[in-house]
Amino acid sequence: MNKRILIIEDEEKIARVLQLELNYEGYRTESAFNGKTGLERAESEEWDLILLDVMLPELNGIEVLRRYRKKNISTPVILLTARDAVPDKVNGLDHGANDYVTKPFEIEELLARIRACFRTSVQKGQAEGNADELTIHDLKLNLGTRDILRQGKRIELTSREFDLLVYLLHNKNQVLSRDQILSQVWGYDFVGDTNVVDVYIRYLRKKIDYPFDMQLIHTYRGVGYSLKEPL
């Protein structure tokens, strides 16, 4: 069955161009032209992916994303952002966006990001089908409920931090390069500063390592990171 994509974009000409291009690629598409209507459509129907503009009337894209993620944590969302809207990009990723594309963009780039999101969704689905719980030492993560416990204490993570921890757990005791982490967790071939990995590793450490006596995340200078069982 052809995948369904919801386009939430207030510029109707852009939305129409996106629909034509995506339909040509075999996707089924529908559009909403403001945040309120877009959120209603997103929550009331099943979608395989959502393209979400940040600057929307009635309800901005970040707020749409925040509310949508309360009910749906699995459907991929790609943000469409202005060139200089760095805070929007960071805020969007923290609230569960899977990726973002900066306007103006080439349609080939957007199509590649969409394909990458679908590949990542398949990989996550396979992982969840293989095991509901991932563990290392005294840390437990349940893929179904998204509960994370260490020494019995509940840990709250953002969507991106959760994805990063899942990837580290699936590859525990292995040293992973920044490029590997970017490709698998961010879901596309990242072009730019790999420092984003360092930033999110730091976020993760503050929540799953620093409050506890035993360190699980280890840095290998010049190489990358590893989630390792204590010796």
Side-chain angles (χ1 to χ4, degrees):
M1 182 180 294
N2 293 345
K3 293 186 180 297
R4 298 186 72 216
I5 296 178
L6 175 63
I7 302 165
I8 308 177
E9 165 63 66
D10 65 317
E11 295 185 49
E12 294 191 26
K13 288 184 178 179
I14 293 178
R16 180 58 180 160
V17 169
L18 288 174
Q19 277 197 279
L20 289 171
E21 294 286 353
L22 292 170
N23 290 345
Y24 181 79
E25 294 294 321
Y27 300 113
R28 292 184 296 150
T29 61
E30 293 188 37
S31 294
F33 304 113
N34 63 67
K36 183 178 179 181
T37 302
L39 179 61
E40 291 172 352
R41 293 294 305 278
E43 291 181 337
S44 63
E45 300 180 45
E46 294 292 328
W47 305 96
D48 295 295
L49 184 138
I50 296 174
L51 296 178
L52 176 61
D53 187 29
V54 172
M55 300 298 292
L56 291 169
E58 297 193 29
L59 203 63
N60 70 59
I62 301 299
E63 183 62 18
V64 170
L65 177 64
R66 187 186 70 80
R67 296 187 189 186
Y68 182 63
R69 280 295 184 239
K70 287 184 177 180
K71 298 183 178 180
N72 184 308
I73 61 174
S74 59
T75 299
V77 176
I78 297 179
L79 293 181
L80 307 178
T81 72
R83 180 178 297 277
D84 58 351
V86 175
D88 286 339
K89 296 173 186 176
V90 173
N91 204 12
L93 292 172
D94 281 343
H95 280 90
N98 298 78
D99 199 354
Y100 63 83
V101 178
T102 302
K103 294 181 178 180
F105 52 82
E106 297 291 336
I107 191 64
E108 290 80 6
E109 178 188 5
L110 178 61
L111 291 172
R113 300 287 179 89
I114 290 171
R115 290 192 296 269
C117 277
F118 286 143
R119 285 197 302 271
T120 303
S121 294
V122 169
Q123 292 167 356
K124 288 179 181 176
Q126 292 172 341
E128 291 177 9
N130 291 335
D132 285 335
E133 189 170 86
L134 302 174
T135 64
I136 185 169
H137 191 48
D138 53 4
L139 176 70
K140 296 181 180 180
L141 181 150
N142 189 293
L143 290 165
T145 64
R146 296 179 75 89
D147 288 332
I148 304 160
L149 299 173
R150 185 163 187 195
Q151 295 181 7
K153 297 179 181 178
R154 187 176 302 277
I155 298 171
E156 298 292 336
L157 299 181
T158 67
S159 178
R160 185 69 66 181
E161 292 165 355
F162 182 88
D163 290 346
L164 175 57
L165 181 57
V166 168
Y167 182 61
L168 293 175
L169 280 164
H170 275 304
N171 297 275
K172 62 185 179 182
N173 300 317
Q174 298 182 44
V175 180
L176 303 166
S177 70
R178 290 173 177 82
D179 287 338
Q180 285 177 299
I181 295 171
L182 281 169
S183 177
Q184 295 300 315
V185 177
W186 273 254
Y188 59 92
D189 294 329
F190 189 85
V191 178
D193 192 351
T194 58
N195 182 59
V196 66
V197 173
D198 303 322
V199 171
Y200 273 84
I201 287 289
R202 187 165 67 248
Y203 292 162
L204 204 52
R205 275 181 166 148
K206 287 181 179 179
K207 295 179 178 181
I208 72 165
D209 263 353
Y210 295 164
F212 304 94
D213 295 333
M214 193 71 68
Q215 181 180 344
L216 299 177
I217 300 175
H218 298 266
T219 301
Y220 291 81
R221 295 191 179 279
V223 182
Y225 299 97
S226 179
L227 189 69
K228 296 190 68 175
E229 294 275 7
L231 297 177

